[in-house]
């Protein structure tokens, strides 16, 4: 069994509920040997409230401590990672939402700059109020209320969080485009916008302007996985959405996600998820079951 340091929670998100365009995870614990989320970017805004927690959080190249009453915001396509230590009283909330939420709410929420992160350490009444709002929002969300019933509370929560974020120090994940680190980050941001992941190492290196060997070393240093492994994960992630949301056959999904054949796709899917695509689809695995499925370190 791998050590927890090498476990990759590749499928980090919960499925959205019908009629909702955001994702909430509430009050999840941390295993006794800790949790590590590798560097990644995504298209959603992400807000994290750590009421009781111990660990660290990185935005770009800057690292911050996570302690009790830590509020974190990261804008879309901002590179970040997280490490959490086990504590018996751990309590955190994670809210992810995309730009459609802001248009649907029709409320003048504070605007955040692109490619930035914010880490704020809350105290006193501010911390108590924020925790009350997150717990209230989670209770309403978990009861399955319709979107129109949740909207007023979401406006209150987002407005409170973003007002605190607006007056806190901003951490820019943007880097000098001429630096190698900056070139890799900007390449990753561009890759996250694509729907095709058939790209050779040589083509990727040419796009960044590095030799294949140099690009390969730097990519793994930034993302902690090889470029080949990164592309494979993107294909698996795309296939998961098709398994959940379409009636396409396993073979059709394999080809749609650019695998050479269905057998190879099924092998790689099981290597990542722990079950075959068919069992994944038929069994309707919950996100919690996926999250706790340990995946061996891939090198």
């Amino acid at each position: 069994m791998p050590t927890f340091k090498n476990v990759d929670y590749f499928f980090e998100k919960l499925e959205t509920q019908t009629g909702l365009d955001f994702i909430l995870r509430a009050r999840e614990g941390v295993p006794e040997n800790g949790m590590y989320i590798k560097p990644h970017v995504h298209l959603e805004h992400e807000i994290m409230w750590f009421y009781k927690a111990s660990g660290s959080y990185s935005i770009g190249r800057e690292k911050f401590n996570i302690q009790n009453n830590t509020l974190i915001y990261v804008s879309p396509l901002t590179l970040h990672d997280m490490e959490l230590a086990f504590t018996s009283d751990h309590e955190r909330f994670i809210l992810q939402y995309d730009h459609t939420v802001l248009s649907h709410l029709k409320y003048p929420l504070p605007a955040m700059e692109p490619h930035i992160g914010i880490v704020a350490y809350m105290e006193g009444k501010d911390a108590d109020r924020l925790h009350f709002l997150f717990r209230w929002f989670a209770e309403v969300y978990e009861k399955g209320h319709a979107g129109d019933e949740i909207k007023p509370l979401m406006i209150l929560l987002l407005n409170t969080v973003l007002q605190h974020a607006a007056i806190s120090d901003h951490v820019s994940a943007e880097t000098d485009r001429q630096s190698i680190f900056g070139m890799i980050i900007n390449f990753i941001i561009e890759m996250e916008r694509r729907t095709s992941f058939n790209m050779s190492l040589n083509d990727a290196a040419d796009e960044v302007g590095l030799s294949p060997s140099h690009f390969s070393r730097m990519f793994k240093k930034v993302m902690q996985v090889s470029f080949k492994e990164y592309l494979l994960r993107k294909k698996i992630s795309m296939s998961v959405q098709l398994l959940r949301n379409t009636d396409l056959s396993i073979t059709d999904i394999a080809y749609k996600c650019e695998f050479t054949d269905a057998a190879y796709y099924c092998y790689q899917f099981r290597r990542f998820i722990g079950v075959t695509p068919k069992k994944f689809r038929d069994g309707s695995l919950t996100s919690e079951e996926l999250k706790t499925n340990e995946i061996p370190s891939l090198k």
Side-chain angles (χ1 to χ4, degrees), residues 8 10 12 36-42 58 60 78-82 181 185 188 192 219-225 230 233:
D8 178 14
F10 182 49
E12 174 184 7
Y36 178 54
I37 305 296
K38 291 185 177 182
H40 63 285
V41 297
H42 43 67
S58 295
T78 300
L79 186 71
H80 57 282
D81 64 89
M82 177 174 71
F181 183 90
I185 293 300
I188 293 167
E192 289 296 314
F219 189 94
K220 188 165 186 177
K221 183 175 182 181
V222 172
M223 293 299 288
Q224 300 191 19
V225 295
Y230 168 79
R233 292 173 185 217

Side-chain angles (χ1 to χ4, degrees), residues 65-97:
N65 288 330
I66 293 175
Q67 60 194 42
N68 293 351
N69 297 327
T70 299
L71 175 66
I72 296 176
Y73 164 85
V74 287
S75 60
L77 298 173
T78 300
L79 186 71
H80 57 282
D81 64 89
M82 177 174 71
E83 187 166 5
L84 295 174
F86 169 79
T87 55
S88 59
D89 59 350
H90 180 89
E91 186 173 353
R92 73 181 186 277
F93 299 79
I94 299 179
L95 174 65
Q96 294 175 323
Y97 61 94

Side-chain angles (χ1 to χ4, degrees), residues 270-295:
R270 183 162 186 164
R271 185 166 72 100
F272 275 99
I273 308 304
V275 296
T276 65
K278 184 179 186 304
K279 187 172 182 181
F280 175 89
R281 171 181 269 172
D282 295 344
S284 299
L285 294 179
T286 66
S287 293
E288 181 65 19
E289 288 169 331
L290 283 176
K291 185 182 74 65
T292 57
N293 178 35
E294 291 187 344
I295 302 170

